[in-house]
Amino acid sequence: MTKVPMARPSSRRAFLKGGLAGAAAVAASAGAARAGGETVITEVQDWARYPGDGVDARPYGRPSPFEAHVVRKNVPWLTSDTISSVNFTPLHELDGIITPNGLCFERHHAGIAELDPAAYRLMVHGLVEKPLVFTLADLKRFPRENRIYFLECAANSGMEWRGAQLNGCQFTHGMVHCVMYTGVRLRHILEEAGVRPDGKWLLAEGADASAMTRSIPMEKALDDCMVAFAMNGEALRPEQGYPARLVVPGWEGNMWVKWLRRLEVGDQPWHHREETSKYTDLLASGKARRFTWVMDVKSVITSPSPQAPIRHGKGRMVLTGLAWSGNGRIERVDVSLDGGRNWKTARIDGPSLPMALHRFYYEFDWDGSDLYLQSRAIDEKGLVQPTKDQLRAARGPNSIYHNNGIQTWHVDKEGVVENVEIS
Amino acid sequence: MSKYPEVLVAAALGLLAATSSAGAQDAAAGEKVFARCKACHAVGEGAANRVGPHLNGVVGRAAGAIEGYKYSPAMTEKAGEGLVWDEPSLTRYLENPRGFLKGTKMAFAGLKKPQEIADIIAYLATFAEDGSQKAAQADPAGDDGGRDAAGAAETDTAEAAGEAEEEPSQAGADAAPRADEPTASSVASGSDGLKFGLGREATDDEVAAWDIDIRPDGKGLPEGRGTVGEGMIVYDQQCASCHGDFGEAIGRWPVLAGGQGTLRDERPEKTIGSYWPYLSTVYDYVRRAMPFGDARSLSDDEVYALTAYLLYLNDIVGDEEFELSRENFTSIDLPNEQNFIDDDRASEAHYADRSEPCMSDCKEGAPEITMHAAVLDVTPEDSDEKESRGGGID
């Protein structure tokens, strides 16, 4: 028997107020007497009396119904149609560095392609000694590797260039996820076909109805790229490119072609739509940068944040967030409680892997006053996460992509958190 | 073999040894100094051009000589005058890049310590043009030869250990010893060339069925032709419901025409005419992905006709009789082609400044909120029907 949770309050503020009131009531009763107590302790609960579901009830396990609100979310006004759109990872509800498969943000250009793995083929051709076709089973016979990498859309935080706009880190920063990929080196696949000396570029193409294409320099293709068929130990999810996708560590997510169907070797880039009209960064001068592949050093505080307000009142608290860089490992994360006037170095916990998410914590006693929370990451190359003002000064407000500016959350005396920009 | 023989390198370094007052240059120390250059420059096996050109074989090389790297006009001019990167010229350049070469793209402020400059040149001199190390040949220090060679060996070990940490399963391949006198074939080998006997040969028909991509030089264009007038008919039937009658777009579907001269505006309009660099991209994209919901349904002639009509909507051709074909396709340039530049993020002030970030009393006064997201109220939880102030993804 599965208990259905009570409906959640409809608005975040209503929930917050309820939470605070509840906390106050508990505090008062705890101070009042040694007798009595919370009924969840003093009375036998249903789950402690009656047996629950058997092992046949949930052949593919799902999160607790009490976690039903932890879902990817869409921002309807962003795009014309959900089949060419994006949804966002609920970063504020997650911990550690691994994103659960069902919560990894989605970006499609023609919806989710549903491929039968028996009909899957990968073709390698162009400037190669011998054009080849592989089945999925063929791919799995190359030596396999397991690697943990973040994948960030170049447009992550793109809606925030002109100022604070979306009220939650799910929306401001949720076009990122981090999983462990299992797959094979792209290098092995290319060498099986034999790349000719003049093969300096690679075109990767997806099998979906957008036939997504990106040009990738051969140095990167032969360095650390993978063709992955599993994430977090299970087959790729359809929305992440089942049965096989490209992994381009540290580089913008658009290049990680899903439903990978074709690899063409050439002697120059193709300048296709996704690397000319899109994913180029318009500067104030009217010039536009192209081939801006690397994702810059970046961080965000995921809690507290607008969707994860402080519900426990003043006193001991845990601030936590994520940091990442396409240049390698994160060396350090600093946190400011006063809008960048003073900084303290946060504690990174968990694995510190190149081009993977890093989890940081900063524990402190909140005195109940206003906080202006910021985080600032520094990567192993010594690059420091810039402020949004610095980025706008260098690029103007119309770059769309590669906004890795420092995020500010204002926490008011009640613990309500808002996305703001400050002086 | 290097175009600039080791003799020249040795001569350069010999000069360095003669002029260096603070003891011999030290390639191992130079490698540490080079950490400050790595954000923009790569060196070693497989090094590629990044923000700056790769530096394999730079000591003794003609300036501005790396193929595929876009040098500043200033550097190109200097190269034309015959500048060669030897120890004296590199020393002056590294002391004060913009002082030595006004207009250089290198945003680096310069190395102030002569010893650091000597060390870094010694380090770079250990790399041959193909990225292999040639520490033994290039070492000019005579009596110090043993010490320097040992230093280089230590460096190798440290590098291999570092890579082993990062990628345990690759440690064996990466830590393979390098040959004393690398040849082209030994450099190209390593883990290359390993065959697993997997996959089967693709047939010509299979390649033809999937290989539909077009490049700016016209590679991939199929036989065919279509006029502006023919394109208008196809456009009205297949495209106008999303992109509007004149390419002005409905809702948030992409705008296709207009916007020329707006790229520096507060609200630039990026269209085929105002922004896209190459016409080949239009043909390629329409053929592979349009019309949305029925991809690959247009004939090659229809795609030529549509491309011609899009040129007409963007005032790039003015004649309704204009016919676009494989034969005349590459004669058409889009107006904004010259306004695309390569990635130079590393030269931005906030990245070029490599000093330690401020930790205390970094700003004056208490923070004041200048902009609220909540006031805007466009977050889905609060309202699903709001329009933003702009700045969406696309």
Side-chain angles (χ1 to χ4, degrees):
Chain A
M1 180 170 73
T2 303
K3 284 285 186 186
V4 176
M6 288 185 349
R8 289 174 63 81
S10 59
S11 90
R12 184 174 51 76
R13 279 186 193 82
F15 182 74
L16 175 67
K17 290 197 175 116
L20 283 176
V26 170
S29 66
R34 310 295 299 177
E38 290 188 89
T39 55
V40 294
I41 297 173
T42 60
E43 292 175 9
V44 176
Q45 303 295 308
D46 283 357
W47 59 78
R49 188 184 301 270
Y50 307 115
D53 284 348
V55 295
D56 58 345
R58 307 177 190 190
Y60 193 99
R62 312 251 316 151
S64 161
F66 296 96
E67 300 295 319
H69 58 290
V70 183
V71 290
R72 299 180 286 217
K73 281 184 181 165
N74 174 26
V75 177
W77 55 257
L78 269 181
T79 51
S80 288
D81 194 311
T82 57
I83 62 179
S84 181
S85 192
V86 63
N87 63 20
F88 299 85
T89 307
L91 298 177
H92 60 292
E93 294 279 2
L94 304 179
D95 217 323
I97 67 164
I98 296 293
T99 314
N101 285 342
L103 296 177
C104 291
F105 83 93
E106 300 169 71
R107 170 74 168 113
H108 313 308
H109 294 78
I112 301 168
E114 301 280 3
L115 253 82
D116 175 354
Y120 175 82
R121 298 291 183 275
L122 174 64
M123 182 185 292
V124 183
H125 72 107
L127 299 177
V128 296
E129 287 155 19
K130 188 184 192 182
L132 294 176
V133 170
F134 300 97
T135 63
L136 188 62
D138 291 335
L139 293 182
K140 291 181 176 178
R141 294 167 69 194
F142 286 99
R144 295 184 208 172
E145 295 184 349
N146 294 288
R147 292 285 186 277
I148 296 174
Y149 293 123
F150 76 80
L151 184 167
E152 184 184 17
C153 177
N156 198 20
S157 314
M159 295 84 81
E160 303 290 309
W161 269 105
R162 288 173 185 273
Q165 178 160 282
L166 287 159
N167 213 20
C169 73
Q170 177 168 19
F171 305 108
T172 56
H173 290 76
M175 280 193 263
V176 66
H177 59 65
C178 183
V179 304
M180 182 168 75
Y181 294 96
T182 303
V184 301
R185 280 279 168 131
L186 180 57
R187 177 190 194 100
H188 288 320
I189 295 170
L190 292 172
E191 285 173 355
E192 195 72 8
V195 176
R196 292 197 205 152
D198 51 345
K200 300 296 183 198
W201 288 85
L202 185 69
L203 185 77
E205 182 181 84
D208 64 321
S210 78
M212 171 65 60
T213 43
R214 284 296 299 256
S215 304
I216 298 167
M218 191 57 74
E219 293 89 345
K220 180 69 172 177
L222 294 177
D223 180 16
D224 55 3
C225 292
M226 298 167 69
V227 174
F229 39 78
M231 55 196 291
N232 292 334
E234 63 178 0
L236 292 180
R237 293 290 170 91
E239 65 268 33
Q240 303 299 340
Y242 178 88
R245 85 173 309 166
L246 201 58
V247 170
V248 190
W251 289 20
E252 59 190 22
N254 183 255
M255 305 178 81
W256 300 45
V257 173
K258 298 188 285 190
W259 312 290
L260 181 69
R261 151 174 95 186
R262 191 166 68 94
L263 298 165
E264 180 174 357
V265 177
D267 59 356
Q268 45 183 284
W270 280 259
H271 296 286
H272 279 181
R273 178 184 186 259
E274 304 293 320
E275 53 205 13
T276 55
S277 89
K278 309 296 175 188
Y279 302 97
T280 48
D281 314 342
L282 180 59
L283 306 175
S285 64
K287 300 272 184 189
R289 290 182 180 137
R290 66 179 166 198
F291 298 145
T292 47
W293 297 309
V294 176
M295 297 310 298
D296 292 305
V297 58
K298 188 166 178 176
S299 69
V300 65
I301 294 167
T302 54
S303 179
S305 66
Q307 298 158 289
I310 303 174
R311 295 185 166 101
H312 52 57
K314 61 174 91 169
R316 197 63 182 163
M317 68 169 291
V318 172
L319 177 156
T320 186
L322 293 166
W324 62 96
S325 168
N327 296 312
R329 289 182 177 82
I330 291 296
E331 188 73 31
R332 193 175 100 205
V333 181
D334 298 329
V335 167
S336 176
L337 307 183
D338 59 6
R341 273 69 186 162
N342 297 283
W343 296 86
K344 300 284 185 194
T345 297
R347 184 170 62 82
I348 292 176
D349 192 82
S352 171
L353 299 167
M355 298 172 286
L357 292 186
H358 288 59
R359 173 61 62 175
F360 67 85
Y361 298 96
Y362 181 69
E363 294 91 357
F364 66 103
D365 290 314
W366 182 38
D367 62 4
S369 61
D370 284 32
L371 301 172
Y372 297 86
L373 302 179
Q374 297 183 336
S375 63
R376 175 179 72 190
I378 302 162
D379 70 22
E380 67 175 69
K381 296 276 164 62
L383 292 167
V384 181
Q385 184 181 2
T387 64
K388 288 169 76 174
D389 284 338
Q390 285 173 324
L391 287 175
R392 284 189 289 247
R395 306 177 192 175
N398 289 313
S399 270
I400 300 177
Y401 307 103
H402 296 287
N403 179 0
N404 63 323
I406 290 173
Q407 173 67 46
T408 309
W409 303 130
H410 171 235
V411 182
D412 75 9
K413 293 175 179 61
E414 294 194 328
V416 173
V417 185
E418 187 194 357
N419 174 10
V420 297
E421 294 216 1
I422 56 172
S423 59
Chain B
M1 227 17 224
S2 161
K3 237 191 313 183
Y4 296 90
E6 270 73 36
V7 176
L8 205 158
V9 179
L13 288 164
L15 183 63
L16 173 77
T19 54
S20 176
S21 56
Q25 69 290 344
D26 180 342
E31 187 185 12
K32 293 197 181 78
V33 181
F34 187 70
R36 282 183 246 171
C37 318
K38 276 181 170 174
C40 301
H41 290 286
V43 71
E45 284 186 35
N49 295 330
R50 301 177 65 174
V51 173
H54 78 72
L55 297 178
N56 287 336
V58 66
V59 180
R61 178 172 88 194
I66 298 299
E67 234 174 88
Y69 180 76
K70 201 169 166 217
Y71 290 92
S72 62
M75 182 67 82
T76 307
E77 194 186 326
K78 201 82 175 173
E81 293 167 10
L83 175 65
V84 171
W85 290 126
D86 56 13
E87 183 272 337
S89 61
L90 275 173
T91 302
R92 283 167 57 213
Y93 187 44
L94 292 177
E95 267 170 8
N96 182 357
R98 272 164 288 196
F100 177 70
L101 185 60
K102 191 170 183 295
T104 179
K105 278 163 81 175
M106 189 158 89
F108 187 61
L111 290 166
K112 296 304 161 228
K113 294 180 187 163
Q115 185 65 46
E116 287 186 341
I117 295 178
D119 290 345
I120 203 166
I121 295 173
Y123 171 65
L124 292 174
T126 65
F127 291 92
E129 277 196 331
D130 61 10
S132 64
Q133 286 219 320
K134 51 174 189 182
Q137 302 100 300
D139 175 21
D143 293 347
D144 271 341
R147 186 191 66 93
D148 274 8
E154 274 167 33
T155 305
D156 294 354
T157 315
E159 267 177 14
E163 282 168 13
E165 262 175 41
E166 269 180 35
E167 307 200 4
S169 71
Q170 292 294 304
D174 287 348
R178 43 173 93 83
D180 282 338
E181 186 117 25
T183 62
S185 65
S186 73
V187 169
S189 66
S191 73
D192 299 42
L194 189 58
K195 301 261 186 185
F196 298 88
L198 295 171
R200 62 158 176 88
E201 189 156 5
T203 70
D204 291 346
D205 284 350
E206 286 174 335
V207 173
W210 276 6
D211 181 10
I212 59 165
D213 49 76
I214 318 291
R215 283 196 325 204
D217 62 0
K219 184 176 177 293
L221 280 171
E223 274 298 333
R225 66 205 68 255
T227 66
V228 169
E230 289 161 357
M232 184 176 75
I233 295 167
V234 181
Y235 182 92
D236 286 347
Q237 290 169 350
Q238 303 271 9
C239 316
S241 60
C242 293
H243 294 293
D245 287 343
F246 304 100
E248 76 283 10
I250 313 279
R252 289 189 79 97
W253 295 109
V255 180
L256 300 181
Q260 292 196 30
T262 67
L263 294 184
R264 279 176 298 198
D265 291 0
E266 178 66 16
R267 301 285 175 182
E269 194 151 73
K270 298 192 285 184
T271 72
I272 293 166
S274 71
Y275 191 66
W276 293 35
Y278 301 110
L279 187 63
S280 59
T281 313
V282 178
Y283 194 102
D284 176 89
Y285 184 70
V286 171
R287 182 160 73 150
R288 73 174 51 249
M290 291 289 115
F292 193 64
D294 194 14
R296 303 293 304 277
S297 62
L298 299 170
S299 71
D300 291 342
D301 283 348
E302 284 176 320
V303 179
Y304 275 112
L306 273 176
T307 307
Y309 184 58
L310 289 167
L311 287 171
Y312 179 81
L313 286 180
N314 279 287
D315 298 323
I316 294 165
V317 299
D319 180 3
E320 287 180 33
E321 305 298 311
F322 173 78
E323 182 182 81
L324 187 66
S325 66
R326 185 166 79 170
E327 286 66 41
N328 68 359
F329 195 97
T330 56
S331 69
I332 294 174
D333 294 323
L334 296 187
N336 197 45
E337 178 181 342
Q338 299 309 319
N339 285 320
F340 285 82
I341 58 172
D342 285 334
D343 187 354
D344 61 351
R345 280 175 287 174
S347 68
E348 291 176 345
H350 47 268
Y351 288 136
D353 170 18
R354 305 306 285 270
S355 56
E356 269 293 300
C358 174
M359 293 300 285
S360 55
D361 301 324
C362 305
K363 286 173 111 176
E364 302 256 322
E368 275 181 38
I369 296 176
T370 55
M371 202 178 297
H372 292 264
V375 169
L376 200 64
D377 203 21
V378 291
T379 309
E381 199 171 18
D382 298 322
S383 166
D384 284 349
E385 300 301 328
K386 298 289 163 60
E387 279 290 319
S388 78
R389 70 170 123 232
I393 62 157
D394 66 353

